[in-house]
Amino acid sequence: MSDGDWFAPKRFGYGSSLPIAWQGWAVLIGYIAVLTAAGITLLPRHWALWATIIALATLTLTIICAQHTRGGWQWRWGGKE
């Protein structure tokens, strides 16, 4: 595991699996905290702002996962790497 590997690759398909480093767990917990806080504080009155925050948080998580997945994001068919 190199310093930049925070997430394991999915065995089948495209993308990241579970975190493999504390940094990955911190990012995932932070994402869940943002979703929870936005839902508690903004819904049901400010649904457009809530949706914007959810979209931005998800985009940020996606970019971080793509940059810090061991072996990068590529289609996998279940073989050992």
Side-chain angles (χ1 to χ4, degrees):
M1 179 170 74
S2 70
D3 291 334
D5 296 338
W6 297 354
F7 298 91
K10 289 177 77 173
R11 187 166 179 198
F12 292 94
Y14 189 78
S16 299
S17 185
L18 292 175
I20 56 174
W22 70 266
Q23 295 96 331
W25 285 108
V27 168
L28 187 59
I29 290 169
Y31 174 72
I32 293 169
V34 167
L35 297 184
T36 303
I40 290 171
T41 60
L42 297 175
L43 288 179
R45 293 181 153 233
H46 305 287
W47 63 270
L49 179 58
W50 171 81
T52 302
I53 290 171
I54 298 303
L56 289 175
T58 302
L59 178 65
T60 303
L61 177 67
T62 303
I63 291 169
I64 291 171
C65 288
Q67 291 176 346
H68 293 285
T69 297
R70 182 181 32 191
W73 276 14
Q74 59 186 346
W75 190 264
R76 291 180 171 82
W77 292 99
K80 301 273 182 177
E81 289 188 47

